[in-house]
Amino acid sequence: VDMLTSRIPPGGLLMRMLSCSALLGVCSELLWAQSIATCTRCHSEQGNDQGLPPSEIDNGTLNGSIHDGFECIACHENIASDGDSRGSAPVGTVDCTICHEEEGEVYKKHGRLVVGSDADIPRCQDCHGSHDIFPSSDKRSRTNPTTVPDTCRSCHTDVDLVRRHQPINGKAVELYEKSVHGDGNRRGVPGVARCNDCHSAKGPDGTHTAHRTLSPYDPESPTYHFNISDTCGRCHEDVASRYWEGVHGELVKQGSLDSPVCTDCHGEHGIVSPNDPRSPVSAARLAEQTCGRCHASTALNERMGVPPGTLRSYIDTYHGLKRKAGDVHIANCASCHGNHRILRHTDPRSRVNTANLQQTCGECHPGISQVVATSSIHAPGEGVVEWWPNFFRILYLWIIAITIGAMLVHNLLHWFRHVRNAYRAPSVVRLSPGETAQHWLLMVSFIVLVVSGFSLRHSEAWWVRTLFGWGGGEGFVIRGVIHRVAAVALMGWTVWHLIYLVTRKGRRWLRDMWPRWSDIKACWGSLAYFLGARENPPDAKRFSYVEKAEYWALLWGTILMTLTGLMLWFDNELAVVWAGSAGRHVVLAVASVIHYYEAWLAALAILVWHLYATVFSPTVYPMNPAWWSGRMPREMYEHEHPGDSKVLPDEDEV
């Protein structure tokens, strides 16, 4: 250096040094360009002509990115400058923590997934991109606030990932998109909540970072039960402060898991405006679906020492009845108790404190007096101890029971008198003793089958629990036994009736019951009579078209119910016979559907068709007594079956 500098004129040294620096910079740029060019000879749309894997980048991919100016081998350290692989790691392997050590220290979990123990945990490039990484302030960045929901969507809507890991809310992104927050995000509203605003936990420096997205069961997670109200309060500061002053916030501070936080009332990802009828805090849904979810719980009320029946006593009031009728402007729970700052009624600041009720009620009822305002708002009922209202409630229950009971007894006596008159009238034998016994067996087995069968499908109904809910599960086991016994009885009736049909009386029965063209004409004639197109109904013979239609439907339905019922009864045995057959599940599923809906068809047909024809029809009311004794009043028979020429004045059997 001394030799060189001794020959340089004064001031020339500085110029030489600047020239060398410039030369080094140019050489560096050329070397970087050469490095990029070396990689993009293969990894570009234009250069990939050697049958190599699909191209990933070209020179323009890095332009403007946060790594613009970096050589490929700066990140892909296992690739030599000449393109040869160095080391055993795959070519695409990149360790971002070499430069981003702090982020690597923070990023240990993502929900329930742990770094190093689950291959599905998101990698840096899954959220930030690979080569096209831009600052979060750039709208092209995948971590820009406006694009974060789309970034999270790529994994949280992946069917395979959702199936493998079963997230707590598998439709979180779908619900978010329909929420008030998702709508604000689409419209570019500044400051609207996105995924990482709620799910980012605090890092070592005390600031929230998306690199710490923890499970809601982690006490450090912003979505942990006791942290949720503070998380929402980061945006809704005033609302959160009022919540913490109320009884719900007070209980959360005490460590109560039963006390509601923001998401219990407003929802989590699918939060919509309170003015939206879908919102759980809308006027239409607040009382029963939100407040009632806790305040109607017997177990919760016992733990919290809250009087039971509060919700029920609201529903029975003028306010509650008007709300059920669809009036959303009527007072609900929040109208009186407040929404976020809900205080105990003993608190002087409470809206429902006795001293404040006149002002609270006066918001809807201007000029209301103190006496009226402090009277009971909730209807007297369970949990509301008021002697005089309870006295009159009990008094009226007795009055209703005695009055309506007396009316019912009066009408039953009137009905039974007319039934007795029908029995005492001159009669003919409509059904022989054997036919009557068949009818009784069919009737009893059918009723038992309907009741016991439907109780299986509707096991939570009050009438089912009344009939079979005793003794724990034993009642329902006995229900199954009863159903099968009744099924055997019905099958026994089927065999009995088929044997009967080959006897002399049975052959006559079958001959008279056989459908004929005259039955179709009689049906049209009856419709014409009903509509006033003819003066008299067509003359029915021994069996009318109504009875024939019911009889043949009964036989067909019985055969169908027997076959499907046996398949369901002996499903294990069928599974052994059909072992290896993929169609056995389909067959049993079809049998179950047919059995259920055929039961509905039969039950409704009896209620709508048979009971009307034999009990409620004006021409046979109060009933046709043939079902009981086999005998039918002669006058009734001659009116109902005038076309039966076999009925003679001295005959009593038809």
Side-chain angles (χ1 to χ4, degrees):
V1 174
D2 291 340
M3 181 180 66
L4 291 173
T5 54
S6 63
R7 300 177 183 177
I8 298 174
L13 178 61
L14 179 61
M15 293 299 297
R16 292 293 179 91
M17 292 177 66
L18 290 175
S19 299
C20 289
S21 298
L23 181 61
L24 288 172
V26 171
C27 291
S28 176
E29 289 292 329
L30 290 174
L31 289 172
W32 175 81
Q34 182 180 3
S35 172
I36 292 293
T38 300
C39 296
T40 55
R41 281 203 306 270
C42 296
H43 294 280
S44 67
E45 296 295 341
Q46 295 80 17
N48 189 10
D49 56 357
Q50 303 176 36
L52 297 173
S55 61
E56 296 178 2
I57 62 168
D58 56 27
N59 284 330
T61 308
L62 290 170
N63 291 340
S65 75
I66 202 168
H67 292 149
D68 191 356
F70 282 47
E71 295 185 29
C72 301
I73 59 175
C75 296
H76 298 277
E77 288 192 327
N78 59 330
I79 304 298
S81 58
D82 59 358
D84 292 331
S85 176
R86 297 184 299 182
S88 59
V91 172
T93 301
V94 172
D95 185 1
C96 300
T97 62
I98 292 175
C99 296
H100 303 281
E101 294 183 29
E102 294 182 5
E103 288 77 5
E105 287 297 321
V106 171
Y107 186 65
K108 299 297 182 183
K109 293 182 179 180
H110 186 87
R112 289 172 292 172
L113 307 184
V114 180
V115 172
S117 64
D118 198 308
D120 287 335
I121 191 169
R123 301 167 299 170
C124 305
Q125 57 264 41
D126 292 325
C127 298
H128 293 274
S130 55
H131 302 97
D132 53 343
I133 301 175
F134 300 97
S136 296
S137 57
D138 191 319
K139 289 191 175 182
R140 294 174 295 175
S141 171
R142 300 183 188 184
T143 57
N144 182 268
T146 60
T147 58
V148 162
D150 291 325
T151 301
C152 298
R153 180 188 293 107
S154 61
C155 288
H156 285 269
T157 57
D158 186 297
V159 176
D160 293 329
L161 288 175
V162 170
R163 185 185 299 112
R164 279 200 296 272
H165 299 288
Q166 296 293 315
I168 297 171
N169 191 331
K171 296 186 177 181
V173 176
E174 178 184 341
L175 292 170
Y176 173 82
E177 290 174 342
K178 298 177 181 178
S179 72
V180 66
H181 294 142
D183 178 66
N185 181 60
R186 284 193 303 273
R187 294 187 288 110
V189 177
V192 71
R194 281 96 178 184
C195 309
N196 52 3
D197 292 317
C198 300
H199 291 275
S200 298
K202 289 182 179 180
D205 60 355
T207 60
H208 292 272
T209 170
H211 296 108
R212 289 200 77 209
T213 303
L214 305 176
S215 164
Y217 300 115
D218 190 318
E220 295 186 33
S221 170
T223 56
Y224 185 60
H225 178 78
F226 297 107
N227 300 334
I228 285 177
S229 297
D230 283 331
T231 299
C232 298
R234 297 210 300 266
C235 293
H236 305 280
E237 187 175 351
D238 181 59
V239 171
S241 65
R242 285 187 279 124
Y243 167 82
W244 288 119
E245 291 181 38
V247 63
H248 293 149
E250 177 186 324
L251 290 171
V252 168
K253 288 179 182 178
Q254 295 172 5
S256 172
L257 285 168
D258 295 322
S259 187
V261 294
C262 308
T263 52
D264 290 313
C265 299
H266 293 272
E268 298 172 341
H269 298 93
I271 300 173
V272 295
S273 168
N275 297 323
D276 190 320
R278 299 172 300 163
S279 172
V281 295
S282 66
R285 303 177 64 185
L286 179 69
E288 293 184 45
Q289 298 185 31
T290 301
C291 299
R293 198 168 62 243
C294 294
H295 288 275
S297 168
T298 302
L300 189 57
N301 286 332
E302 287 179 356
R303 281 204 301 273
M304 292 295 180
V306 178
T310 305
L311 176 66
R312 180 76 261 167
S313 63
Y314 163 77
I315 295 173
D316 291 339
T317 65
Y318 170 80
H319 293 145
L321 294 173
K322 285 283 287 181
R323 191 210 56 73
K324 287 186 72 174
D327 189 345
V328 296
H329 302 290
I330 205 70
N332 55 43
C333 307
S335 305
C336 302
H337 294 271
N339 42 30
H340 299 103
R341 187 173 176 263
I342 301 173
L343 304 170
R344 290 182 173 86
H345 72 280
T346 55
D347 192 317
R349 301 169 299 166
S350 171
R351 289 171 53 83
V352 294
N353 183 274
T354 304
N356 302 328
L357 278 174
Q358 186 175 12
Q359 179 181 350
T360 300
C361 299
E363 293 175 2
C364 296
H365 306 280
I368 191 172
S369 67
Q370 178 70 10
V371 174
V372 175
T374 54
S375 62
S376 177
I377 299 300
H378 291 265
E382 185 182 4
V384 182
V385 182
E386 293 188 11
W387 193 90
W388 281 108
N390 278 339
F391 169 77
F392 282 101
R393 179 175 64 87
I394 295 171
L395 176 63
Y396 261 95
L397 288 175
W398 277 102
I399 291 174
I400 291 170
I402 294 172
T403 304
I404 302 304
M407 293 177 178
L408 180 62
V409 170
H410 172 276
N411 290 347
L412 286 174
L413 291 174
H414 176 270
W415 187 78
F416 278 118
R417 177 63 187 185
H418 283 274
V419 170
R420 189 174 66 172
N421 291 342
Y423 272 106
R424 290 181 174 181
S427 61
V428 295
V429 178
R430 177 64 165 159
L431 298 174
S432 68
E435 293 166 346
T436 304
Q438 287 187 54
H439 184 268
W440 268 97
L441 178 59
L442 173 63
M443 177 177 63
V444 173
S445 61
F446 179 85
I447 293 173
V448 173
L449 281 169
V450 168
V451 173
S452 59
F454 283 135
S455 67
L456 176 63
R457 279 297 192 97
H458 308 282
S459 58
E460 295 302 317
W462 66 269
W463 62 271
V464 176
R465 302 194 69 82
T466 301
L467 291 174
F468 302 107
W470 42 269
E474 292 182 5
F476 289 98
V477 172
I478 293 175
R479 179 215 62 79
V481 174
I482 292 173
H483 190 72
R484 288 168 174 79
V485 169
V488 171
L490 182 63
M491 288 186 283
W493 169 85
T494 306
V495 174
W496 184 3
H497 189 69
L498 291 176
I499 294 173
Y500 163 77
L501 290 178
V502 301
T503 65
R504 183 179 62 84
K505 282 189 175 182
R507 291 196 300 272
R508 180 190 169 197
W509 172 287
L510 190 60
R511 184 174 59 253
D512 292 341
M513 190 65 79
W514 198 262
R516 292 179 173 81
W517 177 251
S518 58
D519 294 313
I520 298 177
K521 293 194 295 183
C523 178
W524 283 109
S526 295
L527 291 176
Y529 170 71
F530 299 154
L531 298 173
R534 57 183 290 174
E535 290 298 325
N536 298 305
D539 293 341
K541 295 186 178 181
R542 182 187 180 192
F543 297 116
S544 67
Y545 70 90
V546 173
E547 293 166 317
K548 291 183 179 182
E550 185 174 24
Y551 175 77
W552 292 108
L554 168 67
L555 289 184
W556 165 251
T558 302
I559 294 171
L560 197 60
M561 292 295 286
T562 300
L563 291 176
T564 55
L566 289 173
M567 292 173 67
L568 297 173
W569 188 351
F570 299 103
D571 56 342
N572 288 330
E573 288 75 8
L574 288 176
V576 173
V577 174
W578 291 342
S581 173
R584 68 181 186 275
H585 300 296
V586 177
V587 172
L588 289 174
V590 170
S592 177
V593 170
I594 292 175
H595 197 75
Y596 178 65
Y597 286 102
E598 181 66 25
W600 266 113
L601 178 61
L604 292 174
I606 292 297
L607 289 173
V608 175
W609 190 263
H610 186 69
L611 287 183
Y612 177 81
T614 58
V615 177
F616 298 108
S617 173
T619 58
V620 300
Y621 191 82
M623 68 174 178
N624 181 346
W627 71 274
W628 177 266
S629 62
R631 302 188 69 86
M632 180 177 181
R634 178 179 292 276
E635 182 181 357
M636 181 186 294
Y637 185 83
E638 290 175 348
H639 181 274
E640 292 295 300
H641 304 273
D644 189 359
S645 59
K646 296 173 185 161
V647 181
L648 302 175
D650 58 345
E651 287 185 333
D652 67 349
E653 183 175 344
V654 294

